[in-house]
């Protein structure tokens, strides 16, 4: 029953117009568009039926495609893939029967519906002027698969077969995320054991710990690069990133034909997009710095009422405001990236990188301020602030207070204040950031959706109308209810959030964990991650719409993020060891000399170079260990060779026309002197 | 006539054995091997005839292959290439008639003769135990082509057609060298004009000049990478580097099947090879330092007889000894690289890199010593040396001399000595190195061979023997004379020398020319390079054996050398500007403080990072400008698409078996609610 509904098209029309004649006109237009939609779908060999939605003004068109049609589409895609160089496509070409997994069916049908007519599709793209009443096209969850899937995930790290079935149901993009999660969690185990041991036995800011962590981060990045390639070969998506696809906004526009103008245009668009990003980065930096100053320094100086709680207030403000800024940027970034006019894969890449940069500032900038400004320069900044406050006093602003009361408000003894400046701040901050982040994420993933939907249902209660003459079975009724629930009340799945959470955690561990070898979650993070798989799946199943399956061969931008984090880990760890390790620390709290600053920078830059060398070596080793002799590489080679071999076989051997070389005249080619020459010696003597 | 002799096999047998019976036994063995050789060649469809060589004990076997055979070989190679993924091969596969250029014929035949029988060849590999009397297999020069070629080169920068014909006659490797030479010379012109202008108008160690030079070097490296790719597509050698070929020493050995043992074996062999390289580097460094100390510091202190000429003597010693060390290393490197057991392309890469590293020390280490040790630390070293000499005096070693005479021998006034320490040394050295190198190269290329051959002819005068019953024409006699001359008196062509000269010059300009913007040859080098093409060609034609054509798609190791030089240019130029530019120099001759040293290093490391960013940008720009919209890229894409398209056409479309989807029961798919819903609004009201 369920499998018959492949996609759901949501069709809306206005119901709240004041003018009655306009309303009637609207209804007529909507009727025309709706009829056109159904006719188009049916004339294309699809089955389509409209059902009343959850509220008036919303129609849900259920679309089903016969297998014949899907097979045709699959065949077409394979041919086009192969023409564009995806070798894997050929292996399925030779099979007469195509066994399409659900995600593949949905993707094919979705592409068919939304592709422009020029590309052989139906052109039903939500939002374009021709279909302005079509607001969305969604696939439906498969409750039976979902149930078993979450259960299997809860049992532990998913096997390759479980990843396959996730991919079969949700497409390569989601499959790859769960594969990444599993690989990351597994690779975390040894380092968690190491970190915990180190925390209890070893020292802080240990060079040895830092080296191990950086090596681990580098190894993980390179290992994943190989692993995802192997998965792509296994799933047949290898090489698919090279396929040429237009982004949504390009489909409706004519392309500029002159190259240089086009290039310049692109560059300036990119420039504007980057400027927007920089603007938001600036906002976040300013917010972070203000919060930091309020929280860190006022805690040292302020003695007034509520001085115990005072430093917490700015942190709460920050925790509330930062996600808002990120949310606003997300909204703007989608538009500014559209504005860049990239093709699809570049579009996603650009968007991901930009959003992650902002998220990075929120996650790490506070710790960076503590580590590189507050701790080394704290004395100076404190002195400066103190001076400002004293000036404030002198100007008589607090003149209304008597001397003693004033004494109580601000710490006037600078020495006393500076004793509060200490090393533990970094550890505390790490702990707070990590735990806060994980709790916030867990709530956002699992709790928040319930709240939102409860609110939604209060504002927009579903219209319960039993039609007369309704001859549907209970099963069908249930299906319809589920469809309406999924389509109308759920939000879209944004895979960015899931990746961002994991990669940010990876960053805490790789870059900052020498501060607190236990916390950066190692074991904690580990505990968190074993739950992350089932909880992400649960969230997807229960609270979000099923995403349109996307065929990808790599986690793309995220791999680059991991690599950059590994590099940052090399640099930051070096600086942290220099600044804080007892053997290396030649800077006290107040003796931060220019020369030491230079030494520190010098060592960091050297570490950056050393990292490049180490990564080169790690890359070779990983390639040797996991790729060179792998089954997947062999399969890849074999596919190519088999293909070319069979091409050679089909190639009709045209007779080689031979131009006979002219025969040489004379004795030149017959008069052999060799044997005479050899025997001459033994004869002569 | 000439074209009929495709290859010449040199067969030797001992003639100077004391024992007569042994000599007879040898002759019999030689006779057997010789007969076997001729029979093998003839049974394989080749024409072969032996002629007496220049001296007794040497037989020259002329080999000719009929066109039928060559076409067969070409067809086989194309099929094998295509199977292994060289797409270009398919375009010629579809042509019934093959038009093979001379270099292609020679390469095919040479491969056929030398490949092991397991790979379908005849297994006549010079030096292996089965053919121990076969000492070499050589192609012959084509005097007519050679004459017109040198003439056309003398007229100016070669056109694409001229490069094509060089490749047609000498193969892709040589063709690529002349293409590189032409491209490099052309790209030098603007920078020569810029440098000369700067020399006469501008300042020394200018940051502006350095930036332009580094940008130029980076641009050139990236431009060449694109240009050679385009040439490879034009010449059909694109993708050929991926072809699996065994190196000479692997053909006769069975391969170790166990992977890890093999890996470990390879790694340890590489380790030994690197150790040898390091040893030679050490020797060269020691020689350079000794020569440097003798030349630079003794010039400041020594006042004895011939003090004017004294500093020149160590330089002469260096100029004589360095090439000897390089020569010895060349000999050893070939063996140590054989020992590494790489496949062919890695073998050449490894050998080239190792030889170039040593050559780099000879070329640049002296200048580096001057720039980074002598100039900044000269005062200290001078003081130290002076102290040593004084101790020497005190110990009475020069005690036999009276005070005044001793005064005359050594400069005892340290201040007076240190006044001789000055900046011009660097300029003078640059000038000397560049001019010396260019003169030495010119002599080695054009003059030396005459000397060697004159010596050879004195030691080994050619045996002039007229055979009785010789019924050859004069033309044939001339050919034979030429063959004997080429085979017996000439040396093999070593393309390393030609590249090394040019890349070293590139290094002088990119890395060191801010010292002397005029000299690093710019205009001079330019003058030199316009002559380099014809003179290299002349050398090849007149003094060296024709090389076996090698199919390559890239200059390989040299491209990496250029890229590393561009990086070194960024770092060294920055340091030079820091150390010597008047605005930046905060170090006097004697005030070289630790802090400044750190600043300098810091800036250099920053420059290294900046370089990576700049290169990334340059790479994108060059790719956009010269590759993205190029005819060659289009051709490459088209070839692949055409190939895959025609494969799809030949593919018999198997009927798609369709499993009919079960028809749904009930009214679910027929009961449409949409239109009712839309019209409800307007009806109700």
């Amino acid at each position: 029953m369920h499998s018959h509904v492949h996609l759901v098209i949501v069709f809306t029309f206005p119901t709240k117009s004041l003018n009655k004649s306009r309303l009637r006109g609207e209804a007529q237009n909507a009727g025309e568009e709706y009829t056109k939609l159904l006719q188009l779908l049916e004339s294309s060999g699809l089955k389509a039926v409209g059902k009343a939605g959850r509220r008036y003004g919303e129609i849900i068109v259920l679309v089903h495609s016969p297998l014949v049609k899907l097979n045709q589409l699959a065949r077409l895609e394979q041919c086009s893939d192969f023409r564009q160089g995806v070798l894997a496509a050929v292996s399925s070409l030779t099979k007469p029967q195509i066994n399409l997994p659900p995600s593949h069916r949905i993707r094919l049908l979705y592409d068919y519906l939304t592709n422009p007519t020029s590309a052989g599709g139906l052109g039903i793209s939500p939002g374009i002027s021709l279909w302005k009443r079509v607001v969305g096209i969604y696939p439906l969850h498969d409750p039976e698969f979902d149930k078993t899937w979450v259960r299997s995930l809860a049992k532990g790290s998913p096997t390759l077969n479980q990843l396959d079935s996730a991919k079969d149901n949700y497409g390569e993009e989601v499959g790859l995320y769960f594969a990444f999660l599993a690989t990351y969690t597994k690779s975390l185990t040894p380092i968690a054991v190491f970190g915990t041991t180190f925390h209890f036995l070893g020292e802080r800011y240990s060079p040895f710990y830092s080296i191990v962590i950086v090596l681990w981060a580098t190894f993980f990045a390179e290992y994943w690069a190989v692993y995802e390639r192997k998965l792509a070969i296994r799933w047949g998506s290898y090489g698919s990133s090279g396929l040429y696809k237009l982004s949504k906004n390009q489909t409706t526009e004519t392309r500029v034909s002159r190259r240089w103008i086009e290039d310049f245009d692109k560059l300036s668009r990119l420039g504007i997009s980057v400027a927007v990003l920089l603007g938001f980065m600036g906002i976040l930096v300013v917010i972070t710095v203000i919060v930091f100053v309020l929280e860190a320094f006022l805690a040292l100086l302020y003695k007034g009422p509520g001085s115990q709680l005072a430093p917490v207030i700015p942190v709460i403000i920050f925790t509330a405001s930062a996600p808002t800024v990120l949310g606003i940027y997300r909204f703007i970034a989608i538009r500014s990236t559209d504005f860049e006019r990239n093709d699809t894969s570049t579009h996603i890449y650009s968007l991901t990188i930009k959003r992650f940069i902002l998220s990075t500032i929120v996650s790490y900038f506070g710790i960076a301020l503590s580590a590189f400004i507050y701790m080394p320069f704290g004395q100076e900044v404190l002195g400066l602030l103190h001076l400002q406050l004293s000036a404030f006093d002198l100007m008589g602003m607090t003149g209304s207070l008597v001397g003693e009361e004033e004494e109580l408000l601000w710490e006037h003894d600078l020495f006393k204040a500076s004793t509060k400046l200490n090393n533990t701040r970094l550890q505390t901050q790490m702990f707070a950031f990590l735990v806060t982040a994980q709790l916030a994420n867990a709530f956002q993933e699992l709790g928040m959706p319930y709240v939102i939907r409860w609110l939604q249902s209060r504002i927009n209660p579903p219209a319960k109308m039993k039609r007369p003459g309704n001859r549907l079975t209970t099963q069908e009724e249930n299906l319809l209810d589920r469809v309406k629930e999924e389509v109308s009340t759920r939000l879209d799945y944004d895979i960015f959030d899931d990746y961002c959470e994991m990669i940010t955690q990876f960053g805490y561990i790789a870059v900052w964990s020498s501060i607190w070898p236990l916390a950066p979650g190692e074991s904690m993070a580990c505990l968190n991650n074993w739950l992350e798989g089932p909880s992400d799946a649960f969230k997807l199943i229960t609270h979000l719409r099923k995403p349109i399956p996307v065929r990808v061969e790599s986690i793309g931008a995220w791999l680059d993020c991991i690599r950059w984090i590994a590099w940052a880990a090399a640099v930051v760890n070096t600086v942290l060891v220099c600044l804080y390790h007892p053997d290396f620390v030649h800077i006290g709290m107040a003796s931060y000399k220019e020369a030491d600053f230079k030494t520190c920078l010098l060592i960091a830059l050297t570490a950056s170079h050393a990292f490049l060398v180490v990564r080169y070596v790690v890359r070779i080793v990983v390639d040797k260990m996991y790729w060179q002799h792998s089954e997947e590489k062999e399969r890849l080679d074999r596919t190519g060779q088999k293909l070319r071999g069979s091409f050679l076989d089909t190639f009709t051997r045209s007779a080689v026309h031979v131009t006979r070389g002219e025969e040489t005249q004379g004795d030149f080619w017959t008069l052999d002197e060799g044997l005479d020459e050899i025997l001459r010696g033994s004869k002569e003597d």
Side-chain angles (χ1 to χ4, degrees), chain A residues 664-684:
Chain A
T664 46
Q665 262 122 47
D667 297 326
F668 188 81
W669 286 100
T670 48
L671 204 86
D672 191 281
E673 298 167 353
L675 273 182
D676 288 351
E677 194 76 1
I678 291 171
L679 297 174
R680 186 158 67 107
S682 36
K683 275 176 198 160
E684 270 172 8

Side-chain angles (χ1 to χ4, degrees), chain A residues 192-365:
Chain A
V193 173
F194 173 73
T196 313
T197 321
F198 222 87
H199 179 76
F200 290 112
L201 299 178
E203 60 212 334
R204 293 286 154 83
Y205 308 108
S206 146
F208 175 62
Y209 178 81
S210 289
I211 287 169
V212 171
I213 278 283
V214 171
L215 277 178
W216 168 77
T218 316
F219 177 85
F220 173 70
E222 298 310 320
Y223 174 74
W224 172 258
V226 167
Y227 186 76
E228 69 168 14
R229 188 162 58 212
K230 284 164 129 182
L231 266 187
I233 292 170
R234 184 183 170 90
W235 291 348
S237 59
Y238 185 74
S240 63
S241 68
L243 298 176
Y244 183 69
K245 273 188 185 169
L246 291 162
S247 74
K248 287 282 140 57
N249 65 328
Q250 275 184 309
T251 53
T252 50
E253 280 175 55
T254 52
R255 296 189 75 209
V256 185
S257 62
R258 275 162 300 176
R259 287 169 195 163
W260 288 106
I261 292 180
E262 198 182 359
D263 286 350
F264 179 76
D265 182 62
K266 253 191 149 170
L267 212 66
S268 51
R269 278 161 187 275
L270 185 67
I272 291 168
S273 180
V274 168
V276 171
L277 173 66
L278 288 177
F280 272 86
M281 282 170 74
I283 293 170
L284 275 181
V285 166
V286 168
I287 292 178
T288 315
V289 170
I290 290 173
V291 166
F292 192 91
V293 169
L294 281 175
E295 180 254 337
F297 293 105
L298 295 195
L300 299 179
L301 295 172
Y302 182 65
K303 289 203 306 180
S307 65
Q308 288 297 317
L309 281 174
V312 183
I313 296 162
V315 176
I316 292 171
I317 296 171
F318 181 70
T319 317
S321 64
T324 316
V325 176
L326 288 185
I328 296 171
Y329 181 69
R330 187 203 156 187
F331 182 81
I332 290 172
I334 293 173
R335 268 133 206 94
S336 83
T337 315
D338 273 346
F339 183 70
E340 285 173 34
R341 290 199 189 151
N342 303 301
D343 51 59
T344 317
S345 60
T346 321
H347 180 93
I348 295 167
Y349 185 93
S350 168
L351 190 58
T352 308
I353 291 284
K354 285 187 292 187
R355 287 177 68 188
F356 187 64
I357 288 175
L358 277 204
S359 151
T360 302
I361 294 178
V362 174
S363 309
Y364 308 138
F365 190 58

Side-chain angles (χ1 to χ4, degrees), chain A residues 356-421:
Chain A
F356 187 64
I357 288 175
L358 277 204
S359 151
T360 302
I361 294 178
V362 174
S363 309
Y364 308 138
F365 190 58
I367 298 185
L369 275 180
S370 287
F372 305 133
I373 307 286
Y374 177 87
M375 306 287 295
F377 298 109
Q379 201 70 26
E380 281 85 346
V381 182
L382 193 63
L384 220 71
L385 271 178
H386 199 264
L387 215 69
Q388 291 287 323
L389 286 170
S390 306
F392 200 67
D393 281 0
L394 283 177
M395 280 164 71
M397 306 296 272
T398 52
S400 59
L401 298 163
V402 292
E404 252 173 51
E405 276 175 346
E406 211 205 302
E407 260 312 284
L408 286 172
L409 209 53
W410 301 112
E411 181 68 74
H412 277 219
D413 185 353
L414 193 57
F415 176 76
K416 218 166 152 189
S418 63
T419 51
K420 293 192 206 163
L421 264 170

Side-chain angles (χ1 to χ4, degrees), chain A residues 219 223 226 230 618-630:
Chain A
F219 177 85
Y223 174 74
V226 167
K230 284 164 129 182
V618 168
R619 208 167 265 184
I620 289 174
V621 171
V622 167
D623 184 75
K624 196 91 200 165
M625 282 173 67
Y626 298 104
W627 174 248
Q628 280 308 329
H629 305 298
S630 70

Side-chain angles (χ1 to χ4, degrees), chain A residues 438-588:
Chain A
Q438 281 172 2
L439 286 180
N441 272 315
F443 173 72
Q444 242 176 11
E445 279 176 8
L446 300 173
M448 199 63 168
Y450 284 113
V451 178
I452 290 175
R453 288 166 76 182
W454 179 78
L455 280 174
Q456 256 181 347
S457 69
R458 291 298 296 262
I459 296 161
N460 251 335
K464 287 264 174 200
M465 329 163 262
K466 273 275 175 196
R467 290 280 152 145
N470 197 335
R471 293 161 297 168
L472 298 177
T473 62
T474 356
Q475 207 190 0
E476 285 167 351
E477 285 281 353
N478 287 344
L479 171 66
L480 272 185
D481 281 348
R482 200 161 54 71
V483 170
K484 287 172 194 170
E485 183 265 332
E486 279 188 28
V487 165
S488 308
T489 67
R490 293 189 178 191
L491 294 171
D492 280 332
Y493 176 57
D494 185 3
I495 205 163
F496 176 90
D497 295 331
D498 282 348
Y499 272 118
C500 187
E501 188 188 340
M502 284 302 109
I503 309 282
T504 303
Q505 196 196 60
F506 174 73
Y508 276 120
I509 295 172
V511 180
W512 301 107
S513 75
S514 67
I515 295 171
W516 187 42
L518 178 67
E522 261 76 329
S523 51
M524 251 184 60
C526 228
L527 211 77
N528 177 62
N529 290 2
W530 291 116
L531 291 175
E532 188 70 25
S535 92
D536 278 347
F538 181 75
K539 176 190 70 174
L540 175 55
I541 287 163
T542 326
H543 298 312
L544 299 169
R545 290 197 192 107
K546 183 166 188 166
I548 302 288
V550 180
R551 183 167 58 160
V552 291
E553 57 168 328
S554 164
I555 62 172
W558 296 111
L559 180 58
D560 286 346
C561 289
I562 295 174
R563 284 183 169 149
W564 278 107
I565 285 175
W567 171 79
V571 174
V572 172
N573 269 291
T574 316
V575 175
L576 285 178
V577 169
C578 278
L579 285 179
Y580 299 113
H581 188 271
D583 291 358
F584 298 93
V585 73
H586 21 56
I587 48 154

Side-chain angles (χ1 to χ4, degrees), chain A residues 585-650:
Chain A
V585 73
H586 21 56
I587 48 154
M589 276 296 145
S591 66
Y592 206 77
K593 285 183 222 127
E594 199 206 353
D596 292 320
F597 181 69
K598 272 185 191 164
T599 311
C600 205
L601 255 180
L602 201 60
I603 294 170
L605 288 177
T606 311
S608 162
H609 279 90
F611 169 77
L612 293 179
V613 176
V614 167
R615 183 171 69 180
Y616 179 73
V617 175
V618 168
R619 208 167 265 184
I620 289 174
V621 171
V622 167
D623 184 75
K624 196 91 200 165
M625 282 173 67
Y626 298 104
W627 174 248
Q628 280 308 329
H629 305 298
S630 70
E631 191 196 327
E632 283 83 2
K633 180 179 185 292
E634 235 166 71
R635 198 198 296 186
L636 191 68
D637 293 347
R638 232 186 306 124
T639 311
Q641 273 178 16
K642 235 171 76 184
L643 164 70
R644 288 186 290 263
S646 64
F647 181 72
L648 278 182
D649 292 342
T650 62

